[in-house]
Amino acid sequence: MSQVSRHYVLAAGGTGGHLIPAFALAAELDRRGHHVALITDERGAAIPGKPDFLPAHVLPPGRIAGKNPVNWLKGARGILDGRQMALRLFDSFEPSAVVGFGGYPAMPTLLAATAARIPTVLHEQNAVLGRVNRYFAGKVDAIATSCEEVDRLDPRHAGKVTLVGNPVRSEVLTLRDEPFPDFTEDSLFRILVTGGSQGARVLSQVVPDGLAMLPPALRSRLQVIQQCRPEDIEAVRERYASHGIPAELATYFEDMDQRLASAHLFIGRAGASTIAELTAVGRPAILIPLPIATDDHQAANTREIVAAGGARSIRQEGFTGATLAKQIQAMAQHPETLANAAHAAWNCGYPNAARDLADLVESFGAAPIMDVIRMDRKATPANGNEALAREPAL
């Protein structure tokens, strides 16, 4: 029996952490013959990596934050305006389900979906349920999680929860079956350092000096690739040069998946997408959770991979050159130690996350008779309905 084409709306905040899994789900649903639309904010619409087939609809900002009542009113107005815009999209696009990936732009879309009685699914990337997902947890049909243990998830909603993992980019997932790079007592020791899309200043300040504190036999084999902020890059370059450590520095690496594939050790933040990619490929890591992350969710994100032996976690207040050097020595003093950590990280991965999330989303949707009606519309479009299905407009 052929797959019936349906329509789905994905709503995600304007950061890579929310949008990368949304893009992965969109690609899987498109592969299955469905039509997908994305609702996000201006930042999200501009993030690289959005599939060409995926139309993006920008909602007004609707974040209620701070102590200024004027900002509350502006935020509330943005949410209400966004809700109306989403309802107009639903009228033309007729989604079988709406999937929220968290972030404030998802709020008006989910409000519209619950008002229109459209089935809704939440996906939580982090080990702490985000604020928007917390608000809707009791109202949606299903909650997909990326971790076995998720903080701030009300036990009353346990019956809605399905563990699927966090979908990653296809180019990263293809690396899962490649072996860990050869690491012997004589080989190069390749370290990849990143701090998210904008880099992390603390990494630029600490990592070069920490690597310089390694024993000469290990330090002489180093080959470093580091992402830095534009304003930091020259100072970091000078610091590595003063230590005699070869380092390739850039503000952005287009081939980050290949850099990760060749790395023996990763040093960086503990965002949800970072953890998902490390465990998909199987790379050991030293993680420094962002201390200002909401609900300290980056620290929670490290629990599973650290417990498995695939990573070490250092709180930023204790992140010094000496501490970093000590942790690197513990992981790399014997070739098999690093390889074992890589395997432990690999075992924490969820390579079928996009498939399993798509299966969950497909389980909620229009009744079979509506699928037949929709297929009839595709076969005999009238008044531009087919164009609306493929290119919906708010």
Side-chain angles (χ1 to χ4, degrees):
M1 182 176 178
S2 61
Q3 171 69 53
V4 175
S5 177
R6 292 181 176 179
H7 300 169
Y8 295 99
V9 170
L10 313 185
T15 66
H18 296 304
L19 284 165
I20 288 173
F23 292 162
L25 175 62
E28 177 64 17
L29 291 173
D30 178 75
R31 188 188 66 78
R32 299 184 185 196
H34 301 304
H35 300 300
V36 190
L38 172 71
I39 291 180
T40 185
D41 58 13
E42 290 183 356
R43 289 186 308 161
I47 282 182
K50 183 179 75 65
D52 293 337
F53 65 81
L54 183 65
H57 304 279
V58 176
L59 294 188
R63 179 172 183 172
I64 300 176
K67 298 181 179 180
N68 189 335
V70 175
N71 291 337
W72 298 347
L73 291 173
K74 288 181 179 179
R77 172 52 59 187
I79 291 172
L80 292 175
D81 289 346
R83 178 180 178 274
Q84 290 303 114
M85 294 171 71
L87 285 170
R88 289 199 296 272
L89 172 63
F90 297 165
D91 283 343
S92 62
F93 194 58
E94 298 181 2
S96 293
V98 172
V99 187
F101 287 85
Y104 285 98
M107 176 170 277
T109 308
L110 291 167
L111 286 172
T114 53
R117 297 185 178 181
I118 297 171
T120 49
V121 177
L122 298 179
H123 181 266
E124 179 55 60
Q125 301 88 52
N126 293 294
V128 181
L129 200 66
R131 292 177 180 177
V132 171
N133 283 353
R134 263 193 325 259
Y135 176 80
F136 286 100
K139 303 174 178 63
V140 299
D141 296 283
I143 302 170
T145 61
S146 302
C147 307
E148 290 186 6
E149 181 183 349
V150 179
D151 298 343
R152 306 298 292 272
L153 178 58
D154 194 317
R156 292 176 298 176
H157 308 319
K160 299 180 180 182
V161 174
T162 300
L163 175 61
V164 300
N166 193 12
V168 300
R169 298 171 294 147
S170 59
E171 56 266 34
V172 172
L173 196 58
T174 59
L175 302 172
R176 183 167 175 82
D177 293 329
E178 294 190 8
F180 184 66
D182 286 341
F183 183 67
T184 68
E185 294 180 354
D186 300 317
S187 66
L188 288 173
F189 182 19
R190 292 187 291 272
I191 296 179
L192 175 64
V193 186
T194 77
S197 59
Q198 296 300 316
R201 177 157 292 162
V202 68
L203 297 177
S204 296
Q205 294 170 338
V206 173
V207 173
D209 293 342
L211 296 181
M213 294 179 187
L214 293 173
L218 194 58
R219 188 179 65 212
S220 64
R221 297 158 49 200
L222 287 173
Q223 187 177 71
V224 181
I225 297 171
Q226 183 163 344
Q227 180 189 38
C228 307
R229 291 183 178 184
E231 62 269 28
D232 296 337
I233 193 166
E234 289 308 318
V236 177
R237 196 184 313 277
E238 291 178 6
R239 190 168 294 177
Y240 275 118
S242 69
H243 294 314
I245 297 174
E248 180 183 355
L249 310 179
T251 58
Y252 178 75
F253 292 104
E254 290 188 0
D255 58 344
M256 186 61 79
D257 53 312
Q258 294 301 321
R259 306 287 182 157
L260 182 61
S262 62
H264 296 110
L265 179 66
F266 172 89
I267 301 173
R269 293 299 194 192
S273 291
T274 295
I275 300 294
E277 293 190 353
L278 289 171
T279 56
V281 179
R283 290 297 177 270
I286 294 175
L287 302 169
I288 303 89
L290 179 67
I292 61 171
T294 305
D295 297 318
D296 201 21
H297 68 258
Q298 286 205 4
N301 288 347
T302 70
R303 285 190 303 233
E304 186 174 345
I305 188 172
V306 169
R312 307 288 179 99
S313 181
I314 307 173
R315 300 303 298 235
Q316 184 162 313
E317 58 268 25
F319 183 52
T320 65
T323 301
L324 176 63
K326 180 179 179 181
Q327 294 294 346
I328 293 175
Q329 281 184 262
M331 297 183 76
Q333 59 183 337
H334 303 295
E336 63 273 15
T337 306
L338 206 58
N340 289 341
H343 186 66
W346 190 90
N347 280 336
C348 292
Y350 293 90
N352 299 319
R355 182 201 69 188
D356 293 345
L357 181 57
D359 288 346
L360 178 65
V361 170
E362 279 188 328
S363 71
F364 296 93
I369 186 63
M370 287 304 298
D371 289 330
V372 174
I373 292 171
R374 196 168 280 129
M375 288 296 288
D376 288 343
R377 286 178 177 172
K378 281 189 66 182
T380 56
N383 300 323
N385 278 346
E386 183 178 87
L388 281 173
R390 293 182 177 273
E391 299 292 341
L394 289 173

